[in-house]
Amino acid sequence: MSATAIPTAASVADAVARLSPEGRAFIDGAYVDALSGETFDCVSPIDGSVIAQVAACDQADVDRAVKGARAAFEKGAWSKASPAKRKHTLIRFAELIREHADELALLETIDMGKPIADSRQIDIPGAAKTINFYGECADKVSDEIAPTDPSAVAMVVREPLGVIGAVVPWNFPLLMAAWKLGPALATGNSVVLKPAEQSPLTAIRIAQLAVDAGIPAGVLQVVPGFGETAGQAIGLHMDVDMVAFTGSTEVGKYFMRYSGESNLKRVSLECGGKTPHIILPDYPDLDKAAEAVAWGIFFNQGEVCNAGSRLLVHEGIRDDFIARVAKVAQGIQPGNPLDQGTKMGAMVDATQMERVLGYIEAGKADGATVAMGGSRVMQDTGGCFIEPTIFADVTNDMKIAQEEIFGPVLSAITFSEVDEAVRIANDTVYGLAGALWTRDVSTAHKVARDIKAGVVWVNCFDAGDITTPFGGFKQSGFGRDKSMHAMEKYTDLKLIWLQLD
Ligand code: NAP
Ligand code: MG
């Protein structure tokens, strides 16, 4: 397979035969079974088949991984390595991810059901780029000397925290892990990574690549398992210094509690969202906006934390605009994720599919109108597929407007004045992202300031770069991934006051 080609597999079984997915934990530089010997089935949502047996790590395994991570941290081969050495090693790690991109992309797709073209062109290159970026950052950050009286030298230095627990979701399995690993490792920490139970395979695979790149054994440990066991054990562990979490707001709150009940470990949370996507009638190219609205909710099967799930459209253009969005959505129908041309894949598992179908029923029961879709499709495959769904006549108090669906469901709400649009946009517990389309620069600036969210896009959607911070306001969490700002949360400030005689 060439570097740019999209890997092909005739079926999930064919991919499994070629990849032989590893399902064991990775601790202290080697693949190991859970101490209990327990495993669980890793199921592909493409056809419902079992693709690997995965180690069901629990508290004992987490404890073992944390002890190894702590020992590696204290030994200092990574934590006290020169920043230049960490830089070169992380850049090598990123290169190895790129060299294994075809394999990793196929693994990601059979594990969580996203289209193979997305895995190959977005997730895996994005993960490599992230690790590479933080490698580059490792030796670009200097400490400070404070402007004190000249009788002292007051050095304000940043030190790694120690052992980081990284707990990540299933929607962008490797990419979300990389957002944590990059800055945590670049600043010298050890990491214990728990991937989501639905999608553990790429995290398990790259642990070996990290060691191959020269990251010392113990610095990156991977403990697959369930949230209630492995995840909770990380949250409650007395020797984990910080948890970097991406997932639901509900579980994010658990991590705050775990911290309070244990060692007051630092917590950073990237949680859910209910992004408002505002269309003002003055924007001249409504087809362009409709294209962005459709992809903004249907990309990755709608399993995106910042998905533009609430369309706030001016009442004067409502029917015309929804028709334009539906036209684009016709071209984003689910298909076999292993086919190169597929644009929408499978929901991650049967549970998530049922959850989304439940929200569709709730929308109907609350009086919203199905303008498009609304059903499970491709049942004969044994997979978990839902068609792009658009609800019209939604009011912001409905369940489908308030709760995060995490599926391909768009809720269209109308407004008449800009102020009203802003009020509706902010009438949510979430604050991850927002977007608006207008040609008026004053309105653009004012609304962007008024939306309470960590990112606001103007005349685009989901634009970003590894150099820009990402994260939420309100119950979407706190702390930022991406950009050099992300490095701050994996370090603590220390003042060294040196009095001159
Ligand atoms: P989730 O259920 O909150 O799970 C996230 C992680 O937490 C998984 O590894 C999970 O393990 C673990 N976990 C679950 N219950 C736990 C518990 N009681 N104690 C400790 N750990 C526990 O979220 P998800 O369903 O995987 O992902 C979807 C959510 O992630 C959505 O809400 C989405 O908005 C959010 N998300 C946010 C961002 C962002 O950057 N803001 C990005 C992507 C996704 P198991 O898998 O074993 O349950
Ligand atoms: Mg899976």
Side-chain angles (χ1 to χ4, degrees), residues 277 279 286-304 306-312 321-333 343-344 372 387-390 407-411 435 437 460-462:
H277 202 157
I279 313 299
L286 290 180
D287 280 332
K288 187 176 171 194
E291 177 99 15
V293 166
W295 281 106
I297 181 64
F298 301 128
F299 169 60
N300 209 50
Q301 304 76 240
E303 297 165 330
V304 179
N306 59 255
S309 51
R310 286 186 299 151
L311 167 63
L312 273 50
F321 192 77
I322 290 175
R324 290 177 201 242
V325 175
K327 193 169 159 216
V328 179
Q330 288 301 343
I332 318 178
Q333 295 295 331
K343 297 192 169 115
M344 191 196 280
M372 178 181 181
E387 59 187 337
T389 298
I390 302 176
V409 181
L410 179 66
S411 299
W437 295 73
C460 62
F461 193 82
D462 209 6

Side-chain angles (χ1 to χ4, degrees), residues 168 170-171 194 197 227 246-248 258 270-272 305 404 406:
V168 296
W170 43 257
N171 58 342
K194 193 204 89 65
E197 68 191 65
T246 295
S248 61
Y258 298 153
E270 300 278 7
C271 299
C305 50
E404 185 178 45
F406 227 57

